[in-house]
Amino acid sequence: MKYSTFFPKSRKQEFKDDLSINAKYLIKAGYIDQLMAGSYTLLPLGFRVVENIKNIIREELNKTGAQELLMPLLHPRDIWDQTGRWSDPDVKQIMYQFKDIHGKEFGLSFTHEEIVMNLLGKMIQSYKDLPVKVYHFSTKFRNEPRAKSGILRGREFMMKDLYSAHVSEEDMYKYYNLVKDVYIKIFKRIGLDVLTVEASGGVFTDKNSHEFQVLSDVGEDTIYTCDCSDKSCDCKFSQNKEIFKGQDGDKCPECDDCIIKSAKSIEVGNIFPLGTKYSESQKVFYTDSEGNQKPIWFASYGIGPTRIMGALVEVFHDDKGIIWPKSVAPFQVYLVSLNKNDEAEKVCSELEGAGIEVLYDDRDISAGEKFANADLLGFPYRLVISEKSGDKIEFKERNGSDVELLSLDKVISRVGEETERLT
């Protein structure tokens, strides 16, 4: 694809010093556009990144037997009244609630537990119908009092929520623990090292939940973890500040060999064991093998693809721009031509024919501007075709400093092998 026809181009504007890194780079590079506080358009580059993130999530969840669907975002009050959450003060602070022209009350989805349980009530009769595991990618709305930190905290954002329904607590936790492990694999494929952190259930459940946190100085969460300086210690203790009863320097309550340290972090996922609260409130039961009516055991699991995009930029950047992990980059190659456009077009065509995604900067601007744009956009590889390179191609990785002269076949081999490894 030619950059001259791509919408939109990167911007030259300067930004306030207090603007978050993810907002500054994603807006400047043309990945997102702010409509208002907490509301962003995913421009074509940003859309491609989020789609790559979604595809990784989709692939791993499908392996667990989960099925994808799509649920409404506009919810009638009566379903939320069944659990009492419509009138819950904490929920009312988050949920957009309003009346239509007929006086009927509705809310915009900030989550879908009630909607899934309502759906199960229409479909589930016997224990033979369980378990059920369904998920969707959809917009969520949350009335954030201070939408900030760029795309990390918005009033409108993309969320993947998975829900599982089971015949027993044992079966629920079996799948819950499977998803916990699958989430770690998902984040590793995306390029993020995460900590699994015990946390409160918030407005979702009175049970403890688990969050998936990425260490970052700009994070809004504070977590307390075991500082395993002893390499033989395999302690995984980690708790959110909301439930941790202690302070920095305390002995770890789990291994008793190491000390506790605090750190700032960005939450990129969470999972909740909901028990039978929703099925009992909404009167959704199944018939067991002996003919008895039993409540469904329920759990929910969330990941925010747009939030992940912001977290990736906070973690992977330098003073020139973004450094995308190869698994989610919008294009693998940024191709630059310096007065050899005919040859560059042939190279672009061969790369695309080999299944490599290329953005070709064919604009009539200086080499310096093209190189700066390549760094800002942050694709894994920059290729340069010029008189200087002769019949070879200048090959540079975004997160490296070395420039190599490679044949086209070698470029295809290098990029292709890495792409294949990540799938």
Side-chain angles (χ1 to χ4, degrees), residues 92-346:
K92 290 179 78 67
Q93 286 186 9
I94 314 172
M95 189 179 194
Y96 288 101
Q97 299 177 347
F98 55 91
K99 294 181 180 180
D100 69 5
I101 59 173
H102 305 292
K104 186 173 176 58
E105 292 185 89
F106 294 91
L108 291 178
S109 67
F110 74 92
T111 189
H112 273 78
E113 283 80 11
E114 280 84 353
I115 307 308
V116 174
M117 190 55 67
N118 176 267
L119 181 64
L120 293 171
K122 300 171 184 175
M123 308 294 180
I124 302 301
Q125 296 180 350
S126 162
Y127 69 96
K128 295 179 181 179
D129 300 323
L130 295 168
V132 171
K133 306 136 187 174
V134 292
Y135 70 95
H136 70 164
F137 294 94
S138 74
T139 301
K140 293 289 185 288
F141 302 89
R142 296 187 183 176
N143 191 9
E144 293 287 352
R146 289 180 63 226
K148 58 179 183 177
S149 302
I151 205 164
L152 289 178
R153 181 165 295 280
R155 295 190 171 103
E156 182 179 355
F157 54 92
M158 172 66 67
M159 175 67 77
K160 183 286 304 170
D161 33 336
L162 163 69
Y163 301 88
S164 66
H166 307 267
V167 298
S168 66
E169 183 177 27
E170 180 184 7
D171 194 55
M172 179 195 75
Y173 271 111
K174 182 180 178 181
Y175 188 68
Y176 182 91
N177 289 323
L178 172 62
V179 173
K180 191 193 300 182
D181 293 339
V182 167
Y183 266 33
I184 293 170
K185 184 176 181 181
I186 287 170
F187 290 120
K188 186 175 181 180
R189 282 188 62 186
I190 288 170
L192 290 171
D193 290 325
V194 297
L195 292 172
T196 305
V197 179
E198 194 175 1
S200 71
V203 299
F204 299 93
T205 177
D206 57 4
K207 304 177 188 300
N208 282 346
S209 63
H210 290 88
E211 299 170 342
F212 298 83
Q213 299 274 4
V214 177
L215 295 179
S216 171
D217 291 338
V218 304
E220 296 179 347
D221 285 349
T222 300
I223 60 173
Y224 289 84
T225 62
C226 179
D227 184 14
C228 299
S229 52
D230 180 357
K231 299 302 181 184
S232 64
C233 177
D234 193 31
C235 179
K236 298 279 194 301
F237 177 85
S238 189
Q239 286 187 348
N240 193 292
K241 180 180 179 180
E242 296 173 345
I243 67 168
F244 180 67
K245 295 179 173 59
Q247 58 186 359
D248 273 341
D250 286 354
K251 275 196 171 184
C252 175
E254 191 163 301
C255 71
D256 204 37
D257 291 326
C258 307
I259 62 169
I260 292 295
K261 66 174 182 179
S262 64
K264 290 291 186 182
S265 60
I266 300 170
E267 181 187 342
V268 290
N270 47 50
I271 57 178
F272 300 94
L274 303 173
T276 59
K277 166 188 171 182
Y278 290 87
S279 59
E280 290 177 343
S281 298
Q282 295 182 251
K283 296 181 171 48
V284 177
F285 304 95
Y286 72 92
T287 303
D288 69 11
S289 59
E290 297 178 353
N292 300 312
Q293 291 280 289
K294 297 287 184 66
I296 289 173
W297 288 82
F298 198 41
S300 66
Y301 319 80
I303 291 180
T306 48
R307 188 175 177 85
I308 288 174
M309 180 167 71
L312 285 168
V313 177
E314 292 291 346
V315 174
F316 301 115
H317 71 271
D318 58 18
D319 59 359
K320 298 177 181 178
I322 303 167
I323 306 173
W324 291 114
K326 296 179 177 72
S327 60
V328 300
F331 292 88
Q332 290 301 304
V333 166
Y334 193 91
L335 176 63
V336 173
S337 170
L338 303 182
N339 301 318
K340 295 188 77 174
N341 288 2
D342 288 345
E343 187 175 337
E345 289 201 18
K346 291 177 183 177

Side-chain angles (χ1 to χ4, degrees), residues 62-81:
N62 289 351
K63 292 175 187 177
T64 73
Q67 300 177 74
E68 188 171 357
L69 44 65
L70 185 60
M71 292 175 279
L73 308 182
L74 184 66
H75 301 169
R77 172 178 176 166
D78 61 305
I79 290 178
W80 284 77
D81 274 336

